[in-house]
Amino acid sequence: MTDLVIASNNKGKIKEIKEMIHTIHLLSLNDIGFNEEIPEPYPTFAENAFIKANTVHHFCGKNVFADDSGICVNALNGEPGVISAHYSGERNDEKNLQKILNNLRDKTDNTAYYFAVICLIWNNETYYFEGTCTGIIIPNKRGTNGFGYDPIFIPDGYNQTFAELPLTVKNTISHRGIAVKKMIDFLKDKV
C-alpha cells in the first residue's frame, strides 16, 4: 500500500480524512516524526497549503498533502477566512467561535461558507483541489462532533450543524470532504 503523509496533527481532521481514504496508507506528522510548527503566513489558502505540504515533503521525501481551510462569513466581509484557526488571536476553537458570534450579534445576514484547498505533492509534482460548503451560522452551539466552528454551522439543505451530523454525512458535503474526494478521484489513476 502506498504511503501518503497528511501534513497535520489535528486529530479531528485526520479522523475525517482516514474515513475517506482506504486504498492508501495515511501517515500523520507524528507518524513520520515531524513535530515542528509550520507557519501559515500567507494571505491565501493555496499558499498556506503549499508551504505546509512542501515543508513536510522536504522533511520526509514522501508523497504528502496539506490543506488550509476556513470559514468565511458574508456579513463580516469574508472574515475570518484564512485566519480562521487564529481568529481570536490564538489557536483556540472556543474563543474563535465566540468571536464570530459576538461579531454577528447586530447583523441580519448569517450566511457563511467553509472553503478548503488541498495541496498534494505526488511524485514531486504539485496539484491543488478545492471544496466549498455554504450554509448559515446559528447563535448557539449544537452538537459534540467535529471541531472548530462546526457547532455553529448548518450546511444548506440540512437542519443539523456539522457537529450534529454523522461523520459519514459531513464527509460527503463538507468543504474538506469535497476537496478530499477530488484528490482521491485523482489518485485512483496513480495507485
Side-chain angles (χ1 to χ4, degrees):
M1 193 177 282
T2 304
D3 285 346
L4 178 61
V5 178
I6 174 173
S8 178
N9 278 323
N10 180 316
K11 287 180 174 52
K13 188 183 292 188
I14 292 168
K15 181 180 178 192
E16 280 181 13
I17 293 171
K18 278 191 173 182
E19 290 288 320
M20 300 177 70
I21 296 180
H22 304 288
T23 58
I24 291 175
H25 183 234
L26 200 60
L27 300 169
S28 71
L29 292 179
N30 283 337
D31 293 334
I32 64 164
F34 185 94
N35 54 19
E36 297 171 36
E37 187 71 28
I38 303 171
E40 300 174 26
Y42 298 105
T44 69
F45 294 110
E47 289 171 300
N48 287 325
F50 174 76
I51 195 69
K52 289 188 277 188
N54 197 44
T55 300
V56 173
H57 177 67
H58 282 293
F59 172 80
C60 67
K62 294 181 180 294
N63 294 323
V64 62
F65 76 97
D67 86 302
D68 196 34
S69 59
I71 195 163
C72 305
V73 181
N74 294 318
L76 304 179
N77 299 314
E79 286 186 3
V82 77
I83 62 162
S84 291
H86 304 276
Y87 190 45
S88 64
E90 58 185 286
R91 187 179 278 272
N92 182 304
D93 285 354
E94 183 61 28
K95 288 181 181 178
N96 293 334
L97 184 151
Q98 291 303 324
K99 183 171 180 179
I100 279 185
L101 294 180
N102 290 337
N103 289 347
L104 277 177
R105 225 177 241 139
D106 60 346
K107 308 281 193 235
T108 54
D109 180 3
N110 66 343
T111 60
Y113 62 94
Y114 268 115
F115 183 70
V117 175
I118 289 176
C119 175
L120 169 69
I121 299 176
W122 186 267
N123 295 336
N124 297 312
E125 297 287 331
T126 303
Y127 306 91
Y128 293 92
F129 308 91
E130 296 181 356
T132 303
C133 181
T134 57
I136 60 168
I137 302 292
I138 59 170
N140 297 302
K141 296 187 336 184
R142 293 190 346 218
T144 57
N145 300 324
F147 59 97
Y149 302 96
D150 289 356
I152 59 168
F153 181 80
I154 296 179
D156 288 345
Y158 291 81
N159 57 14
Q160 293 174 293
T161 66
F162 266 177
E164 294 174 301
L165 288 170
L167 189 55
T168 53
V169 174
K170 180 186 174 190
N171 279 344
T172 62
I173 62 170
S174 78
H175 55 302
R176 186 174 301 107
I178 291 166
V180 169
K181 182 172 182 340
K182 289 177 182 177
M183 180 180 74
I184 292 168
D185 289 344
F186 170 81
L187 288 173
K188 281 179 184 170
D189 295 335
K190 306 287 183 188
V191 289

